[in-house]
Amino acid sequence: MLLTRKHGEEHPYWPAGPFKVRLPFIHYRWEVAETIQALVMFVVAMGMIPLLQKYLGLPYDVALAYVVVCGVGFLLPNLLGVPFVPGWITPAIPVVLLFVGQFEPGPDAIRALVALQLVVTFIFLFMAVTRLGSRLVDNIPSSIKAGILLGAGIAAISGEISQGGRAYNTPISLGIGGMVTAYVLFSLSFRDWTEKHRWAKVVAGYGMVPGMLVAMGIGWAVSEYPLPSVEWGLATPAFGEIWNYLPFTVGFPGAELLMAAVPTAVIAYIIAFGDIIVGQSLISRVDHLRPDEKIEVDVDRVHLVTGMRNLLHSLFAPYPGLAGPLFTGAMATIAERYRYGRRAMDTIYSGAGVFWIVGFIALFLLPLITLFKPVLPIALSITLLITGYLCIAVAVEQIDNATAMGVAGVMGVVLATHGAAAGLGAGLVLYFMIERRGRNVPADEPIHVADNMPHEEAEPAPAKSS
């Protein structure tokens, strides 16, 4: 029998130190809508396989074993009391690939990625224990935060559409599929339709799924992707071989490599903290519509669980996506359905929990795996394109004057083209050289247009009338 909550209280749980344990069928019911969505969206998790093969030199079956380890990590946040749908630090993927791409695929690249993920682990756990997370990020200038997001967004989109990119090579399927996904997720006109038409509300409830299915169907129809060869039975990831591709075998990184990973790790953390803010925002938008449940978002617990997941990856499956606090597309979809009341979704934990439980089970279902195997690049590409759009949109929201926009823009371009260290360095130099003001000038004093123009271009003062 389910442990039910009283109206207006926090959902029942088992206390376990800093965690709050919740299990399906004991603390929350099974949700059918998230079951259906996860049977398609699990392919996003498998979308990491091409990157593991290309940058780390893993065989397909070993890469699939890495994805299963990632799936275990996806189960932890909801289990331990975090009301988010977890994911990767997706906007950081292009920056991570710039770092890992400097090393030869194989042991060198694996050690580099382990170094990066260990530093990310340290940052998250340190911020969790000291509770410094929010204070640190609040003190980072908005132009620097915007520059990081712009750089990640530019790198994500340019990597897909430039020569050799997935969208460049298969423009029909990814072009149409990407547009459908963007329209469903972001279009103001489609949002108006959801208020008027039930079918539009149903489509919106599945988030990225419609666009991905359209892209896959078109990819098969126009032969941009090969037709699948569906097999039956259960998948057998190469857990026996995975040991040959872990730091226990290839060796742990040295101090020099750990230091080289610090700039990329710092950028990944800042992006991840932005994801926490986005997650809080998504929940706050619907929390007031559901007075029956009090939702707790403990930022320290989010940091702690995310650090644990990155440690799991560091030791057993170093991952280009890292371990992030939020899968934005899935969380937005689940939050949207949650707003329609307890009959639609009993608790936020039932929607978020069921999603990745089903996604984890799907990783062993050979018919689904073989069906989607030829189109794995589609899932990763659409995820990166949508993430790039969101990064750029959120970056612009951080900026309130032309000077900061210039600093952020230049920093973003340098970061996208030359990597994390160069991007951070350029951003800090420009900030202190151009944007930073004197000690006696209030930080919130407005910047006038003339202050941002060369002196000879500033408009002359109007002549006094005689």
Side-chain angles (χ1 to χ4, degrees):
M1 183 176 180
L2 286 176
L3 297 176
T4 57
R5 70 173 181 274
K6 295 180 181 179
H7 187 87
E9 294 186 354
E10 187 178 354
H11 202 69
Y13 60 88
W14 293 332
F19 307 116
K20 296 182 176 180
V21 176
R22 295 181 176 91
L23 297 173
F25 304 116
I26 296 177
H27 297 98
Y28 56 82
R29 75 186 188 197
W30 200 261
E31 301 288 351
V32 175
E34 276 64 47
T35 299
I36 297 172
Q37 188 176 355
L39 289 175
V40 176
M41 290 296 288
F42 89 99
V43 74
V44 173
M46 290 188 63
M48 190 58 61
I49 290 177
L51 298 185
L52 292 167
Q53 292 176 298
K54 178 179 179 180
Y55 287 91
L56 300 190
L58 303 186
Y60 174 84
D61 289 341
V62 174
L64 180 59
Y66 267 45
V67 173
V68 172
V69 174
C70 178
V72 173
F74 283 157
L75 299 177
L76 292 179
N78 202 255
L79 171 68
L80 299 178
V82 176
F84 295 164
V85 180
W88 309 323
I89 309 180
T90 309
I93 291 177
V95 184
V96 172
L97 296 181
L98 284 172
F99 173 72
V100 178
Q102 303 172 68
F103 301 88
E104 185 72 20
D108 289 345
I110 292 172
R111 277 193 294 269
L113 190 50
V114 170
L116 173 61
Q117 203 135 29
L118 283 173
V119 177
V120 171
T121 297
F122 172 80
I123 294 174
F124 271 103
L125 294 181
F126 178 79
M127 294 301 172
V129 173
T130 61
R131 302 185 177 182
L132 289 174
S134 57
R135 278 179 283 176
L136 172 67
V137 174
D138 286 344
N139 288 326
I140 295 176
S142 295
S143 58
I144 301 297
K145 287 189 281 189
I148 289 171
L149 290 169
L150 276 175
I154 292 170
I157 294 176
S158 63
E160 296 302 310
I161 65 175
S162 60
Q163 188 171 2
R166 284 171 287 264
Y168 181 90
N169 292 332
T170 57
I172 301 174
S173 55
L174 282 174
I176 297 175
M179 287 190 290
V180 170
T181 306
Y183 186 73
V184 170
L185 291 179
F186 307 123
S187 171
L188 299 178
S189 62
F190 187 76
R191 190 177 301 173
D192 293 337
W193 282 10
T194 61
E195 300 296 327
K196 300 176 183 178
H197 306 289
R198 180 174 175 79
W199 67 265
K201 185 180 295 184
V202 172
V203 171
Y206 287 98
M208 294 171 60
V209 170
M212 287 175 55
L213 292 178
V214 167
M216 292 172 184
I218 292 176
W220 285 322
V222 301
S223 300
E224 284 188 338
Y225 292 91
L227 291 173
S229 177
V230 178
E231 302 174 19
W232 299 95
L234 296 176
T236 54
F239 293 114
E241 298 177 34
I242 196 174
W243 192 260
N244 297 323
Y245 300 89
L246 297 181
F248 306 103
T249 302
V250 303
F252 282 86
E256 184 177 348
L257 195 51
L258 289 168
M259 291 302 298
V262 169
T264 304
V266 170
I267 281 182
Y269 171 75
I270 295 171
I271 292 172
F273 194 90
D275 283 343
I276 296 174
I277 302 302
V278 171
Q280 289 178 311
S281 175
L282 290 172
I283 287 180
S284 65
R285 290 179 184 179
V286 297
D287 193 21
H288 68 282
L289 302 174
R290 290 287 302 271
D292 60 287
E293 179 177 14
K294 176 185 176 182
I295 303 176
E296 178 199 45
V297 180
D298 187 323
V299 174
D300 295 323
R301 186 181 302 133
V302 176
H303 275 77
L304 185 57
V305 176
T306 308
M308 292 166 55
R309 290 172 54 217
N310 276 289
L311 181 59
L312 175 71
H313 276 297
S314 301
L315 300 177
F316 301 108
Y319 225 57
L322 306 177
L326 189 72
F327 183 177
T328 306
M331 187 68 214
T333 304
I334 288 172
E336 180 66 21
R337 206 169 72 80
Y338 175 79
R339 71 186 300 164
Y340 293 112
R342 197 162 184 173
R343 291 185 63 185
M345 185 183 297
D346 180 36
T347 168
I348 195 70
Y349 294 97
S350 61
V354 168
F355 180 86
W356 272 131
I357 291 174
V358 176
F360 181 76
I361 294 171
L363 293 175
F364 295 91
L365 301 180
L366 198 56
L368 287 177
I369 291 174
T370 52
L371 173 65
F372 291 122
K373 183 178 178 179
V375 290
L376 288 182
I378 287 177
L380 180 61
S381 187
I382 289 181
T383 300
L384 286 170
L385 289 170
I386 294 303
T387 297
Y389 172 88
L390 282 171
C391 283
I392 294 171
V394 174
V396 173
E397 290 180 349
Q398 308 285 320
I399 302 299
D400 58 6
N401 63 77
T403 301
M405 187 71 249
V407 171
V410 173
M411 178 185 172
V413 172
V414 174
L415 194 154
T417 54
H418 295 288
L424 271 179
L428 290 171
V429 168
L430 288 173
Y431 171 76
F432 285 107
M433 186 175 68
I434 296 176
E435 186 181 356
R436 177 75 173 175
R437 311 187 77 179
R439 292 182 179 180
N440 297 326
V441 180
D444 57 353
E445 180 174 314
I447 299 176
H448 302 290
V449 173
D451 295 336
N452 285 316
M453 297 172 60
H455 296 299
E456 65 270 15
E457 294 182 10
E459 293 184 8
K464 295 180 180 179
S465 55
S466 55

